[in-house]
Amino acid sequence: MRHRLSPPPYPADVAAQLTAFWHGVAALEVKYDMYFTSTLSRRSSWSEPQPSTLAENLVLQCTKTPVRLSLHPHLPEEIARDTRALFQQLFGQ
């Protein structure tokens, strides 16, 4: 018997944009590795301190279009600027 898969939560074009965005976020984390490894995570539940990530410093609101980006106000301006540029490149907003 074949199992039914749920439909994707986003239209294919938005899903592709989101995938590209998260790949870009990973690349920015590598680019700014020095900052993230020297900044402690605010969300870590580990017993030992963990480094920060760009992903924990942003929120994507994508339950309805247009997709929106919010950045933590303490994120350094250079990282925030690159993140906004990545968002603009993919979502055009």
Side-chain angles (χ1 to χ4, degrees):
M1 182 172 174
R2 293 181 60 182
H3 293 274
R4 288 188 163 199
L5 299 175
S6 347
Y10 305 106
D13 59 334
V14 174
Q17 289 170 315
L18 290 170
T19 298
F21 179 77
W22 291 114
H23 284 290
V25 165
L28 288 174
E29 285 181 344
V30 170
K31 178 178 179 180
Y32 295 108
D33 180 65
M34 196 111 158
Y35 170 79
F36 290 113
T37 57
S38 66
T39 305
L40 295 178
S41 173
R42 294 182 319 277
R43 298 181 180 175
S44 180
S45 60
W46 297 92
S47 57
E48 294 188 27
Q50 298 294 308
S52 179
T53 65
L54 179 54
E56 77 179 51
N57 284 284
L58 66 84
V59 174
L60 274 183
Q61 299 168 344
C62 47
T63 54
K64 59 182 180 176
T65 56
V67 176
R68 294 175 187 228
L69 172 70
S70 299
L71 298 173
H72 192 279
H74 294 277
L75 197 61
E77 185 54 38
E78 184 178 7
I79 299 172
R81 185 176 45 246
D82 283 356
T83 307
R84 284 187 204 101
L86 170 67
F87 182 81
Q88 174 70 28
Q89 174 187 357
L90 294 167
F91 294 97
Q93 299 171 30

